[in-house]
Amino acid sequence: MIELLRLENISWNTPDGSGILHDLSLTVPDGKLIVITGPNGGGKTTLAKIIAGIYKQNSGRLFLDDRDITDLDITERAKLGISFAFQQPVRFKGITVRKLIELAAGEKLPLDRICSYMSKVGLCAEEYIDREVNSTLSGGEIKRIEIATVLARHSALTVFDEPEAGIDLWSFASLIKTFEEIRNTLNGSIVIISHQERILRIADEIAVVADGTIKAKGRPDDMMKLLAENNSVTGKCFRQEEMF
């Protein structure tokens, strides 16, 4: 199996010295959808931001397609093909949805291309294309527009931080279909931080992060059974509904 991303012995501390990640190592195969789950406060989002270059690890190294990206910042990593979708997407007053998607794609796009990206996230392009990406959009709308921009980038590696956060049930169902479509036509890899069982079940692999390290990693069927039967794998006891 070809390896796209490799993290070696990653550690990260908060400014006050509290340890969040401890000597964590992880590989992401090329062309796969990996879901990272685990209890709140275990280090999942910190790990995602280190991959994107938003946070700088205290120790350890990162490799993208065997290239050492340890010292590259978020802009340099983005140029190499790493995209990051925030749990709470950024709003851009004065920028239209069309312009945002074109900026992500790096070129001016015909309407049918924009419609294709928008329809994949359950939005009608004609209703949104000229709207500003500002506070007039709901949380679910802004989340789906952000995912459309990620699709337009065709990144080698895309990291989603809890994409289900703040969206309604209909939007969530549409989101699952979008991820399933991406997974079936994948050109690159996806890492999703999530607690949601339906997202875990469409993964190629699931990794459990707790207490700042990888507690377990494997295929969905094996991992779902392990998580249901043995909460000790997470390093903490917590209710199943908190996992999913």
Side-chain angles (χ1 to χ4, degrees):
M1 188 175 295
I2 300 173
E3 179 184 279
L4 178 66
L5 178 72
R6 183 171 78 255
L7 283 69
E8 296 181 350
N9 309 113
I10 300 296
S11 295
W12 187 82
N13 301 329
T14 62
D16 66 5
S18 299
I20 303 298
L21 298 180
H22 311 285
D23 201 33
L24 183 151
S25 295
L26 176 70
T27 59
V28 175
D30 190 20
K32 299 297 182 181
L33 192 161
I34 308 300
V35 176
I36 298 176
T37 193
N40 292 331
K44 304 184 303 298
T45 291
T46 298
L47 176 60
K49 290 182 176 180
I50 285 175
I51 293 171
I54 299 169
Y55 289 171
K56 170 72 174 178
Q57 71 281 356
N58 294 100
S59 62
R61 307 201 71 79
L62 297 88
F63 298 86
L64 180 69
D65 200 17
D66 280 333
R67 174 174 177 171
D68 192 335
I69 61 170
T70 303
D71 296 322
L72 300 186
D73 62 22
I74 184 172
T75 301
E76 294 168 316
R77 294 185 191 188
K79 290 178 180 178
L80 290 178
I82 296 179
S83 293
F84 184 84
F86 289 89
Q87 186 177 143
Q88 298 296 329
V90 179
R91 297 174 187 268
F92 301 93
K93 185 177 181 180
I95 296 180
T96 64
V97 171
R98 176 198 285 270
K99 183 63 176 177
L100 188 63
I101 292 177
E102 289 180 335
L103 285 170
E107 60 179 329
K108 191 171 180 62
L109 298 175
L111 181 60
D112 62 338
R113 285 270 302 281
I114 297 175
C115 284
S116 174
Y117 296 131
M118 296 292 283
S119 65
K120 286 180 179 179
V121 296
L123 296 177
C124 176
E126 291 186 359
E127 293 181 10
Y128 287 90
I129 194 168
D130 294 319
R131 290 184 64 178
E132 288 189 13
V133 188
N134 58 23
S135 59
T136 64
L137 295 169
S138 70
E141 289 171 328
I142 197 75
K143 179 63 68 71
R144 284 187 276 172
I145 289 167
E146 182 187 47
I147 293 172
T149 66
V150 170
L151 296 177
R153 282 207 64 202
H154 300 290
S155 301
L157 175 68
T158 304
V159 182
F160 292 92
D161 184 13
E162 297 195 27
E164 71 275 10
I167 64 173
D168 54 62
L169 289 175
W170 187 91
S171 298
F172 180 65
S174 177
L175 182 69
I176 294 295
K177 291 180 182 178
T178 298
F179 283 136
E180 287 178 327
E181 181 177 344
I182 296 172
R183 180 182 181 275
N184 293 333
T185 59
L186 202 58
N187 182 20
S189 298
I190 296 176
V191 173
I192 303 177
I193 309 298
S194 181
H195 294 281
Q196 292 291 337
E197 182 177 5
R198 288 179 65 186
I199 291 180
L200 268 65
R201 290 194 180 280
I202 65 172
D204 292 301
E205 290 184 339
I206 296 172
V208 179
V209 174
D211 296 327
T213 191
I214 301 291
K215 295 292 185 179
K217 185 171 182 281
R219 295 178 60 83
D221 289 346
D222 296 333
M223 294 303 297
M224 297 295 285
K225 181 178 180 181
L226 183 66
L227 290 168
E229 295 179 354
N230 186 10
N231 280 340
S232 64
V233 74
T234 65
K236 296 182 180 181
C237 277
F238 53 95
R239 297 190 305 276
Q240 185 165 330
E241 61 265 27
E242 292 179 318
M243 278 291 298
F244 307 131

